């Protein structure tokens, strides 16, 4: 069956979320804004990225075709490149005998078998540039993320060195930036130091890698968890949803910088009469296509490979 018949565009040019339906043979344990999570056994999860997109913490009714595959492909790329203890077990689903052929086709390129972890309730944000909520705190006289910054910086300036600016992992509502003292209280000093040094090390390596491809990694967010006492990098890694990537040739400090992510759809939403509460306005087909193109471009620039060739095979 051609894949287009599995998930056909509707009359607006958009498609149903993938996977279109729950995978029936596995217990479904959680839905995030973007992911569906199933339990394989007490130690392992099936971690599936759908094509859903959220903006201002509201999940839009329209999906972005292939977005989940871009997110999964980039996470796999970086798990491989970074070689740091992480939750990936395999992308090979052949061992999951309860999945039907249709399940396998729907999940191809967007599912990973991962180690189930006890999630640390802090988002590990690293920033190399002053932007977003950190810039707003700085401009307005300072806040948790600006504690260690010098004076006189402009929006989008490169920071003297990358900073670790953790945030709460809010189950509802918006994440809130934490001070160093608040984070040390939550984590304890040893875990704080561990997460800080691991996060900054990964950011530095990934931003050097991106820079060689003409892309600035302005900031990014990691999640970590414990599995059998081991501290693992979990969730998605260095994707356009968890990171702010800028085309290097469009970086001009003092200005807003276009990014390879949902900024495009956010800008469209900003021009609609909408109070940022659900439901979001209906996103027209051309904005859906423009957003898809940016996700695919991010994949291609960062991995250096053609998205049409993805998935490249199973990883184990
Ligand atoms: N190995 C793992 N074990 C257990 N939970 C995990 C693991 N990896 C990721 N998670 C959790 O799975 C969820 C992923 O779902 P999703 O990305 O859709 O969440 P979300 O609603 O987008 O939240 P956020 O905006 O914080 O990413 C997150 O809550 C994440 O903490
Ligand atoms: Mg998430």
């Amino acid at each position: 069956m051609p894949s287009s018949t599995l998930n056909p565009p509707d009359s607006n040019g958009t498609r149903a979320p993938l996977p279109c339906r729950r995978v029936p043979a596995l217990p479904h344990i959680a839905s995030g804004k973007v992911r569906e999570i199933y339990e394989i056994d007490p130690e392992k999860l099936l971690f599936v990225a759908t094509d859903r997109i959220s903006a201002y913490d509201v999940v839009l009714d329209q999906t972005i075709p292939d977005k989940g595959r871009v997110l999964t492909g980039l996470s796999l790329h970086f798990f491989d490149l970074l070689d740091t203890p992480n939750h990936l077990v395999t992308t090979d689903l052949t061992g999951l005998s309860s999945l039907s052929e249709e399940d396998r086709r729907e999940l191809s390129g967007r599912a990973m078998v991962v180690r189930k972890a006890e999630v640390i309730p802090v988002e590990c944000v690293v920033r190399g540039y002053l932007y977003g909520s950190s810039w707003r705190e700085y401009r307005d006289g300072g806040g948790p993320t600006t504690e260690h910054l010098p004076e006189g910086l402009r929006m989008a300036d490169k920071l003297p060195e990358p900073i670790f600016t953790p945030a709460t992992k809010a189950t509802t509502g918006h994440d809130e930036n934490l001070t160093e003292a608040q984070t040390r209280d939550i984590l304890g000093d040893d875990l704080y130091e561990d997460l800080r040094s691991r996060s900054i090390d990964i950011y530095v390596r990934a931003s050097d890698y991106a820079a060689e491809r003409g892309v600035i990694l302005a900031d990014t967010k990691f999640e970590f968890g414990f599995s059998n006492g081991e501290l693992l990098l979990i969730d998605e890694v260095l994707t356009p949803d968890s990171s702010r990537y800028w085309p290097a040739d469009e970086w001009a400090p003092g200005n807003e910088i276009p990014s390879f992510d949902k900024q495009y759809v956010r800008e469209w939403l900003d021009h609609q009469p909408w109070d940022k509460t659900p439901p979001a306005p209906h996103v027209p087909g051309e904005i859906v296509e423009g957003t898809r193109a940016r996700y695919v471009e991010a994949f291609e620039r960062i991995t250096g490979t053609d998205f049409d060739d993805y998935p490249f095979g199973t990883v184990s």
Side-chain angles (χ1 to χ4, degrees), residues 4-257:
S4 57
T5 60
L6 290 173
N7 187 31
D10 68 17
S11 54
N12 299 310
T14 58
R15 305 182 204 197
L18 272 173
C20 304
R21 56 196 167 73
R22 297 272 154 87
V23 179
L26 292 173
H28 176 258
I29 59 166
S31 286
K33 287 189 286 291
V34 171
R35 290 181 176 74
E36 299 292 345
I37 302 171
Y38 306 88
E39 188 174 71
I40 295 171
D41 63 36
E43 310 252 285
K44 290 197 244 68
L45 302 174
L46 187 66
F47 196 65
V48 182
T50 70
D51 289 341
R52 293 195 292 264
I53 186 167
S54 69
Y56 301 109
D57 285 325
V58 175
V59 179
L60 307 186
D61 288 343
Q62 288 72 44
T63 54
I64 307 301
D66 292 321
K67 173 175 175 280
R69 299 170 74 237
V70 166
L71 300 184
T72 301
L74 276 168
S75 295
L76 292 169
H77 180 77
F78 280 110
F79 281 136
D80 183 44
L81 197 78
L82 294 167
D83 200 22
T84 188
N86 65 65
H87 69 162
L88 176 66
V89 177
T90 181
T91 59
D92 184 355
L93 307 183
T94 48
L96 303 178
S97 53
S98 55
L99 296 182
S100 67
E101 273 313 302
E102 195 185 358
D103 291 336
R104 284 175 208 285
R105 267 195 303 272
E106 285 187 357
L107 295 173
S108 170
R110 62 175 74 245
M112 303 190 277
V113 177
V114 302
R115 281 168 65 182
K116 189 195 284 183
E118 196 187 315
V119 180
I120 295 171
V122 164
E123 312 242 342
C124 294
V125 179
V126 182
R127 300 168 190 272
Y129 292 76
L130 185 58
Y131 211 73
S133 67
S134 190
W135 161 249
R136 288 192 294 275
E137 285 178 5
Y138 189 88
R139 179 197 62 193
D140 298 343
T145 70
T146 66
E147 298 181 294
H148 302 296
L149 295 184
E151 286 180 14
L153 296 171
R154 295 162 298 174
M155 174 171 61
D157 257 334
K158 187 169 200 268
L159 300 174
E161 55 188 35
I163 53 171
F164 182 56
T165 61
T168 54
K169 212 176 132 37
T171 39
T172 53
H174 301 283
D175 295 343
E176 273 179 37
N177 294 330
L178 295 166
T179 63
E180 179 175 336
Q182 286 169 325
T183 320
R184 286 179 183 273
D185 274 352
I186 297 170
L187 300 175
D189 288 333
D190 288 352
L191 186 55
Y192 175 87
E193 298 292 348
D194 231 6
L195 292 181
R196 180 180 176 282
S197 62
R198 263 187 83 177
S199 301
I200 289 182
D201 170 67
I202 298 170
Y203 170 83
V204 168
R205 287 194 287 141
S207 57
D208 287 351
Y209 171 88
E212 287 165 18
R213 282 146 189 85
V215 176
I216 291 173
L217 174 60
D219 52 54
T220 191
K221 175 208 85 174
F222 304 112
E223 290 193 36
F224 292 88
F226 284 103
S227 166
N228 293 327
E230 203 185 345
L231 182 59
L232 301 177
L233 179 62
I234 63 168
D235 202 58
E236 61 182 331
V237 181
L238 294 156
T239 72
D241 275 12
S242 68
S243 318
R244 187 173 272 125
Y245 282 113
W246 292 331
D249 53 5
E250 295 192 47
W251 174 55
N255 298 286
E256 300 205 352
I257 319 290

